[in-house]
Amino acid sequence: MTRPALAIIGNGMATARLLDELAARGGLTKFAVTVFGEEPHGAYNRILLNRVLTGGAVDEITLKPRAWYAERGVQFVPGVAVTRLSHAAQRLWTSDGREHFFDTAVFATGSTARVPDVEGLRRPDGTMKRGAFAYRTAADVQQMRYHARPGMRAAVVGGGLLGLEAAKGLTDLGLSVTVVHLFDVLMNRQVDALGGQFLRRAIERLGITVRTSVSTKAVLGDKRVEGLSFGGETLPADMVVFSSGIKPRVDLARESDVPCNAGILVDNQLRTQLTRLYAVGECAEHDRTVYGTVQPIYEQCKVLADVLTGADPSAAYRGSKVYTKLKVAGVEVASMGRIDADRTGDESVQVIEEARGVYRKLVVRDNRLVGAVLVGDASAAAGLVQLFDDGSPLPPNRLDVLASGEAIPGGGGSDPEVCNCHHVRTSALVGAIRSGCDTLPKLSDQTRAGTGCGSCRGQLANLILQNAPSTCRKE
């Protein structure tokens, strides 16, 4: 019997996770799955692009090697863009001129770099002038690596996660780097003003210059980048990297008459307003929200796989409580919920350790945790995430939850969660290691730990060293 055709448009981290969720429910045998990806690689972890910038291969951050698709019966169409889709005809067309039929299609087109339209950035043909780059894809960072030379002056426009990662990578390559940020606070979506000060000091200790509250007005230079203008002030630069946010890729959906706002509009089952068409990830807008972090996207993929396969037809996505735990340019940062007490009666608990460069903050409402910021030491993050997720009452001494996971009722202090993206606890990891997963790739493949944001990979390596048989301890 002919299997229904499922087309997945896009091959980023959302697609990688959706394929895993479909596989877990028998979806890869139930559907004839085709994945269309504009890049030539299998799906990779965009959060770890800095490894490619500093000389690593794309294979090192790949989530789904090209062989993975073939081994599981998934047709993978790399290096082409879907240029047109007809809902009525159930057809889509790709940039190589081919036509493809589908019964069901999923938009997983992700997002693109938001590059400001500043004077002098682009050539007459619309391309960016020599020495100007966006920081978004593997090809972007490979081009940056090819251009960069020790001693060059580089400006990174944008002081968010990827901007700071780009700055660290260029510094490691021997460049003199200045981060230029429009707002007062680095990573202003994740940390508060005081946390931003601690983060800034840590970044500056790496030799990176930080300029905040600065708006880039123009890129200087006729044929190549020579500097930036801030309107009355200039910054000499041999290259400029834009990492100033992202925007959902909705052009294909909009041109295909799929209703969109900032993102592609979806309901609680990730359906668009046209039958048989779904959207997931950074391109999807649910309940007026577009999510740009890993954890909500993974939650969406789980629901969508339930719906598509029929494993749970009533599955519903109700939105996500957003949290992040990352190592930003070598600095541990965790953030969840509200970063400031903004209602009457809210409590704000702050712990400042100047000598260690550590800042920790809780935002409490009605004896529940509604937000937290950790900079410099994120060891308490796993326990805090549990409190944030389930809304358990906090202990009378608020500092207990920052000092030890064992103080959290039911928090499993002796069995902490190591991978927040996939909710993998220490016991599961130790069990896998003792069963033969004695290298980082094996352990990640078995448990998924380390395949989300990647911030836990150091902890995974330590667990391998501590628990693998002495004859085969290795990373």
Side-chain angles (χ1 to χ4, degrees):
M1 187 172 70
T2 303
R3 294 177 294 164
L6 172 62
I8 303 176
I9 305 167
N11 189 41
M13 294 178 71
T15 293
R17 182 55 179 262
L18 179 59
L19 290 170
D20 286 338
E21 297 289 355
L22 289 171
R25 295 160 177 78
L28 299 187
T29 55
K30 180 174 183 176
F31 294 102
V33 181
T34 303
V35 174
F36 299 89
E38 292 184 31
E39 298 180 76
H41 326 283
Y44 60 86
N45 190 333
R46 202 177 302 279
I47 301 170
L48 303 180
L49 277 174
N50 206 38
R51 296 187 186 182
V52 180
L53 174 59
T54 52
V58 178
D59 288 349
E60 295 178 27
I61 64 170
T62 296
L63 299 169
K64 297 280 184 287
R66 291 180 63 160
W68 185 97
Y69 304 83
E71 290 167 0
R72 289 158 180 81
V74 175
Q75 183 180 1
F76 178 37
V77 185
V80 300
V82 176
T83 56
R84 189 161 63 94
L85 180 146
S86 170
H87 169 254
Q90 293 179 248
R91 299 285 194 279
L92 61 82
W93 293 264
T94 49
S95 54
D96 58 1
R98 296 187 179 183
E99 177 184 85
H100 304 262
F101 168 82
F102 64 85
D103 291 291
T104 301
V106 177
F107 290 94
T109 46
S111 58
T112 188
R114 189 184 297 276
V115 178
D117 186 20
V118 298
E119 181 184 345
L121 172 60
R122 300 187 182 276
R123 304 182 180 101
D125 64 359
T127 61
M128 291 194 288
K129 68 174 54 168
R130 184 169 177 248
F133 305 90
Y135 187 87
R136 186 62 185 165
T137 68
D140 290 335
V141 296
Q142 287 170 329
Q143 291 168 9
M144 289 167 57
R145 177 74 178 89
Y146 180 78
H147 180 86
R149 295 289 183 274
M152 275 188 173
R153 299 162 299 182
V156 177
V157 179
L161 164 65
L162 292 182
L164 296 179
E165 284 290 294
K168 174 64 163 57
L170 292 171
T171 300
D172 290 344
L173 292 174
L175 282 73
S176 174
V177 182
T178 300
V179 172
V180 178
H181 193 49
L182 179 63
F183 301 96
D184 295 339
V185 178
L186 294 175
M187 291 188 66
N188 50 287
R189 292 181 180 271
Q190 289 83 27
V191 304
D192 64 351
L194 191 51
Q197 291 180 26
F198 275 78
L199 178 60
R200 177 172 183 158
R201 291 175 203 164
I203 296 299
E204 289 176 334
R205 282 196 292 271
L206 299 173
I208 299 169
T209 301
V210 176
R211 299 284 307 275
T212 54
S213 301
V214 173
S215 176
T216 302
K217 301 298 185 183
V219 175
L220 305 177
D222 293 330
K223 296 183 179 180
R224 61 178 179 84
V225 171
E226 296 179 6
L228 297 180
S229 170
F230 305 133
E233 182 186 359
T234 61
L235 174 70
D238 303 299
M239 65 182 293
V240 58
V241 177
F242 288 92
S243 182
S244 44
I246 58 176
K247 57 183 178 181
R249 295 188 63 188
V250 299
D251 289 352
L252 174 65
R254 185 169 279 131
E255 291 165 4
S256 305
D257 298 322
V258 180
C260 300
N261 189 22
I264 303 168
L265 295 173
V266 297
D267 64 11
N268 290 349
Q269 295 192 311
L270 288 309
R271 288 182 295 232
T272 72
Q273 294 181 20
L274 298 183
T275 58
R276 303 184 304 276
L277 298 184
Y278 296 79
V280 68
E282 292 177 338
C283 66
E285 179 176 337
H286 174 268
D287 193 21
R288 300 182 297 279
T289 302
V290 176
Y291 295 95
T293 55
V294 170
Q295 159 252 335
I297 293 169
Y298 286 178
E299 293 173 6
Q300 291 177 1
C301 290
K302 182 177 180 180
V303 171
L304 182 54
D306 278 339
V307 171
L308 291 175
T309 62
D312 181 4
S314 64
Y317 178 68
R318 305 290 186 185
S320 297
K321 289 185 173 182
V322 178
Y323 53 83
T324 56
K325 177 175 176 281
L326 301 164
K327 185 165 283 190
V328 184
V331 183
E332 289 188 2
V333 177
S335 173
M336 61 200 75
R338 300 183 178 277
I339 60 176
D340 285 305
D342 53 11
R343 287 190 189 175
T344 302
D346 285 357
E347 300 175 54
S348 181
V349 181
Q350 295 171 297
V351 177
I352 298 170
E353 299 180 70
E354 290 280 1
R356 291 180 61 212
V358 171
Y359 171 73
R360 291 173 285 180
K361 176 182 181 179
L362 306 178
V363 180
V364 182
R365 177 176 300 160
D366 299 326
N367 201 34
R368 265 72 174 175
L369 184 69
V370 296
V373 176
L374 308 172
V375 178
D377 181 353
S379 58
L384 293 177
V385 165
Q386 179 175 325
L387 288 169
F388 178 64
D389 272 344
D390 62 25
S392 300
L394 293 177
N397 184 356
R398 311 301 197 208
L399 297 183
D400 284 348
V401 299
L402 289 175
S404 171
E406 295 177 2
I408 301 173
S414 60
D415 187 19
E417 190 173 270
V418 176
C419 177
N420 298 134
C421 294
H422 298 285
H423 303 295
V424 186
R425 292 192 175 275
T426 301
S427 59
L429 293 165
V430 171
I433 293 167
R434 291 175 178 171
S435 297
C437 296
D438 54 4
T439 68
L440 195 50
K442 287 181 182 178
L443 186 60
S444 293
D445 185 59
Q446 177 68 27
T447 66
R448 295 186 181 176
T451 62
C453 71
S455 66
C456 63
R457 290 169 68 89
Q459 292 171 268
L460 300 180
N462 287 334
L463 284 173
I464 291 170
L465 288 171
Q466 294 164 8
N467 295 281
S470 59
T471 56
C472 58
R473 287 182 181 170
K474 51 199 170 191
E475 293 188 16

